Amino acid sequence: MNKGSVELVGVVKRYGDNLAVSEINLAIAGGSYCCLLGPSGCGKSTTLRMIAGHEAVSEGDILLNNRNVTDLPPRKRGTAMMFQNYALFPHLSSLDNVAFSLKIAGVDKARRRARALEMLQLVNMESYADAFPEQLSGGQQQRVALARALINQPEVILLDEPLSALDPFLRTRMRAELKRIQQQLGITFIHVTHSQEEAFALADSVVVMNNGSIEQIDNPQGIFRTPRTAFVAGFIGGHNILEGRLTADGLQISDDRTLTLPASPHAPANIEQVQVSLRCDHIRVSPSPFDAAQPLPLQVESVEYQGSYVHVRTRAEDGLQLSIHQPDTEYLQAPLHPGDQAYVGWRPDDLNPLQQPGPRV
Ligand code: ADP
């Protein structure tokens, strides 16, 4: 593994009886951008804080560059943490905030100022070197906080929801900046977020967490194209989850409807009740029948224009409910309305068999 690799081996965190993180194993390649993604309370920040050394592990080991750092204090790990609220010193200028840890370390004034200015340049804040935090916008404060985290040349930067306090426009801009800086420095970034959009935009690897466990680790395409569990498919959105009984003909989801399953190596075996995911943008919808495999009409319940696509929600008499993202060009040719009948179709290969949550198999 490259410099800046991080490994968690059987890491558990308990707060009293509360199991916040439940025996996770995770290897993050050095120099990569990793996002820990999941809903509030799933254990992301606790995991990040354990890597930083701000939280002791209950069980397991944390390795940085193959060195066991489990019992080392934060400053001896080669990591730096950037907090959600930036935590800048209000009485210090940007430059002095960035240079602070070098001052504590006894670095002489000229050298620490030169180095701090270099860091401010990296985050495009050199013209604000003399400004105090209260004179800076949220986005600018965040850049200063990032420069401060970078000054000790950490091999791993840990970021806890770094973009959540910014407005949507700034958030997108800072997101691109984070990626640029990570690529320029070639160090490992581990970034906690509950936004799948953010994780997909930034990460080389996305770690989806649920209830203290890891549900899936993959690159963004892998997570979106082949979610492993119903939780992942539901959390990232844009997927339908269908459930039925496995028969010789496929997946029987009602008396009248059996779906042909793909002949993929991921197809479930020896399980009766099976769930599959089906991307909303992989379903074709039309006012007239076109797919012999799906001859039954569904009723359109709602139609929402979303720009590049139209979100059509449908329901059939046999209980099948489908969310469909129809390209707006198709929609404009034959617009559907609530109450209309609609016919649907997809390729069997677009059905993605899901696994029960639990250890990776
Ligand atoms: P996330 O970052 O995904 O929102 P956290 O890691 O903050 O989740 O929390 C995971 C679980 O651990 C939650 O149930 C939370 O209530 C609990 N927890 C986190 N920090 C503490 C703490 N200092 N004391 C007790 N419980 C905590």
Side-chain angles (χ1 to χ4, degrees), residues 63 70 136 196 231 234 243 267 274 285 294 304:
L63 279 68
T70 315
L136 302 174
Q196 55 90 1
F231 173 83
E243 190 168 347
V274 166
V285 60
Q294 299 299 328
E304 284 174 353

PDB file of all heavy atoms in Angstrom, residues 63 70 136 196 231 234 243 267 274 285 294 304:
ATOM      1  N   LEU A  63      -4.201   0.637  12.077  1.00  0.00           N
ATOM      2  CA  LEU A  63      -2.855   0.654  11.507  1.00  0.00           C
ATOM      3  C   LEU A  63      -2.724   1.814  10.530  1.00  0.00           C
ATOM      4  O   LEU A  63      -3.604   2.022   9.687  1.00  0.00           O
ATOM      5  CB  LEU A  63      -2.573  -0.655  10.754  1.00  0.00           C
ATOM      6  CG  LEU A  63      -2.160  -1.871  11.575  1.00  0.00           C
ATOM      7  CD1 LEU A  63      -3.297  -2.367  12.449  1.00  0.00           C
ATOM      8  CD2 LEU A  63      -1.710  -2.985  10.654  1.00  0.00           C
ATOM      9  N   THR A  70      -2.891   2.148  17.509  1.00  0.00           N
ATOM     10  CA  THR A  70      -4.086   2.081  18.363  1.00  0.00           C
ATOM     11  C   THR A  70      -3.916   2.839  19.683  1.00  0.00           C
ATOM     12  O   THR A  70      -4.848   3.490  20.143  1.00  0.00           O
ATOM     13  CB  THR A  70      -4.424   0.599  18.664  1.00  0.00           C
ATOM     14  OG1 THR A  70      -4.335  -0.129  17.447  1.00  0.00           O
ATOM     15  CG2 THR A  70      -5.814   0.446  19.252  1.00  0.00           C
ATOM     16  N   LEU A 136     -14.211  36.635   7.950  1.00  0.00           N
ATOM     17  CA  LEU A 136     -14.232  35.670   6.843  1.00  0.00           C
ATOM     18  C   LEU A 136     -15.597  34.993   6.734  1.00  0.00           C
ATOM     19  O   LEU A 136     -16.282  34.794   7.743  1.00  0.00           O
ATOM     20  CB  LEU A 136     -13.170  34.590   7.063  1.00  0.00           C
ATOM     21  CG  LEU A 136     -11.720  35.067   7.204  1.00  0.00           C
ATOM     22  CD1 LEU A 136     -10.819  33.876   7.556  1.00  0.00           C
ATOM     23  CD2 LEU A 136     -11.245  35.732   5.923  1.00  0.00           C
ATOM     24  N   GLN A 196     -24.920  11.296  -0.337  1.00  0.00           N
ATOM     25  CA  GLN A 196     -24.390  10.374  -1.357  1.00  0.00           C
ATOM     26  C   GLN A 196     -23.858  11.167  -2.542  1.00  0.00           C
ATOM     27  O   GLN A 196     -22.873  10.777  -3.172  1.00  0.00           O
ATOM     28  CB  GLN A 196     -25.419   9.315  -1.772  1.00  0.00           C
ATOM     29  CG  GLN A 196     -26.747   9.817  -2.253  1.00  0.00           C
ATOM     30  CD  GLN A 196     -26.795  10.053  -3.746  1.00  0.00           C
ATOM     31  OE1 GLN A 196     -25.821   9.821  -4.428  1.00  0.00           O
ATOM     32  NE2 GLN A 196     -27.913  10.536  -4.234  1.00  0.00           N
ATOM     33  N   PHE A 231     -30.542  -1.800   2.048  1.00  0.00           N
ATOM     34  CA  PHE A 231     -30.222  -0.553   2.741  1.00  0.00           C
ATOM     35  C   PHE A 231     -29.429   0.373   1.823  1.00  0.00           C
ATOM     36  O   PHE A 231     -29.738   1.561   1.701  1.00  0.00           O
ATOM     37  CB  PHE A 231     -29.431  -0.822   4.031  1.00  0.00           C
ATOM     38  CG  PHE A 231     -28.955   0.452   4.650  1.00  0.00           C
ATOM     39  CD1 PHE A 231     -29.797   1.193   5.463  1.00  0.00           C
ATOM     40  CD2 PHE A 231     -27.696   0.955   4.359  1.00  0.00           C
ATOM     41  CE1 PHE A 231     -29.388   2.403   5.992  1.00  0.00           C
ATOM     42  CE2 PHE A 231     -27.273   2.169   4.877  1.00  0.00           C
ATOM     43  CZ  PHE A 231     -28.123   2.890   5.697  1.00  0.00           C
ATOM     44  N   GLY A 234     -31.545   1.732  -0.991  1.00  0.00           N
ATOM     45  CA  GLY A 234     -32.501   2.726  -0.497  1.00  0.00           C
ATOM     46  C   GLY A 234     -31.795   4.023  -0.106  1.00  0.00           C
ATOM     47  O   GLY A 234     -32.280   5.115  -0.398  1.00  0.00           O
ATOM     48  N   GLU A 243     -39.466  -7.387  -4.166  1.00  0.00           N
ATOM     49  CA  GLU A 243     -39.280  -8.588  -3.357  1.00  0.00           C
ATOM     50  C   GLU A 243     -40.215  -9.669  -3.845  1.00  0.00           C
ATOM     51  O   GLU A 243     -41.341  -9.382  -4.260  1.00  0.00           O
ATOM     52  CB  GLU A 243     -39.603  -8.244  -1.895  1.00  0.00           C
ATOM     53  CG  GLU A 243     -39.215  -9.349  -0.973  1.00  0.00           C
ATOM     54  CD  GLU A 243     -39.256  -8.927   0.489  1.00  0.00           C
ATOM     55  OE1 GLU A 243     -39.342  -7.716   0.763  1.00  0.00           O
ATOM     56  OE2 GLU A 243     -39.209  -9.834   1.325  1.00  0.00           O
ATOM     57  N   ALA A 267     -26.423 -13.916  -8.762  1.00  0.00           N
ATOM     58  CA  ALA A 267     -27.804 -14.348  -8.517  1.00  0.00           C
ATOM     59  C   ALA A 267     -27.865 -15.161  -7.223  1.00  0.00           C
ATOM     60  O   ALA A 267     -26.981 -15.956  -6.945  1.00  0.00           O
ATOM     61  CB  ALA A 267     -28.303 -15.173  -9.685  1.00  0.00           C
ATOM     62  N   VAL A 274     -36.528 -13.316  -2.029  1.00  0.00           N
ATOM     63  CA  VAL A 274     -35.392 -12.602  -2.599  1.00  0.00           C
ATOM     64  C   VAL A 274     -35.765 -11.150  -2.874  1.00  0.00           C
ATOM     65  O   VAL A 274     -36.905 -10.847  -3.232  1.00  0.00           O
ATOM     66  CB  VAL A 274     -34.964 -13.311  -3.920  1.00  0.00           C
ATOM     67  CG1 VAL A 274     -34.031 -12.451  -4.730  1.00  0.00           C
ATOM     68  CG2 VAL A 274     -34.308 -14.647  -3.612  1.00  0.00           C
ATOM     69  N   VAL A 285     -40.987   3.547 -19.744  1.00  0.00           N
ATOM     70  CA  VAL A 285     -42.419   3.685 -19.471  1.00  0.00           C
ATOM     71  C   VAL A 285     -43.078   4.306 -20.700  1.00  0.00           C
ATOM     72  O   VAL A 285     -42.487   5.151 -21.376  1.00  0.00           O
ATOM     73  CB  VAL A 285     -42.657   4.543 -18.196  1.00  0.00           C
ATOM     74  CG1 VAL A 285     -42.093   5.944 -18.340  1.00  0.00           C
ATOM     75  CG2 VAL A 285     -44.118   4.596 -17.812  1.00  0.00           C
ATOM     76  N   GLN A 294     -43.902  -7.708 -19.622  1.00  0.00           N
ATOM     77  CA  GLN A 294     -44.633  -6.886 -18.646  1.00  0.00           C
ATOM     78  C   GLN A 294     -45.930  -6.377 -19.262  1.00  0.00           C
ATOM     79  O   GLN A 294     -46.091  -5.184 -19.531  1.00  0.00           O
ATOM     80  CB  GLN A 294     -43.771  -5.687 -18.196  1.00  0.00           C
ATOM     81  CG  GLN A 294     -42.478  -6.056 -17.511  1.00  0.00           C
ATOM     82  CD  GLN A 294     -42.696  -6.861 -16.244  1.00  0.00           C
ATOM     83  OE1 GLN A 294     -43.691  -6.676 -15.547  1.00  0.00           O
ATOM     84  NE2 GLN A 294     -41.795  -7.777 -15.969  1.00  0.00           N
ATOM     85  N   GLU A 304     -43.547  14.197 -11.658  1.00  0.00           N
ATOM     86  CA  GLU A 304     -42.816  15.396 -11.200  1.00  0.00           C
ATOM     87  C   GLU A 304     -41.724  15.730 -12.200  1.00  0.00           C
ATOM     88  O   GLU A 304     -40.838  14.899 -12.447  1.00  0.00           O
ATOM     89  CB  GLU A 304     -42.160  15.141  -9.833  1.00  0.00           C
ATOM     90  CG  GLU A 304     -43.113  15.174  -8.681  1.00  0.00           C
ATOM     91  CD  GLU A 304     -42.428  14.772  -7.367  1.00  0.00           C
ATOM     92  OE1 GLU A 304     -41.263  14.355  -7.406  1.00  0.00           O
ATOM     93  OE2 GLU A 304     -43.082  14.871  -6.329  1.00  0.00           O
TER      94      GLU A 304
END
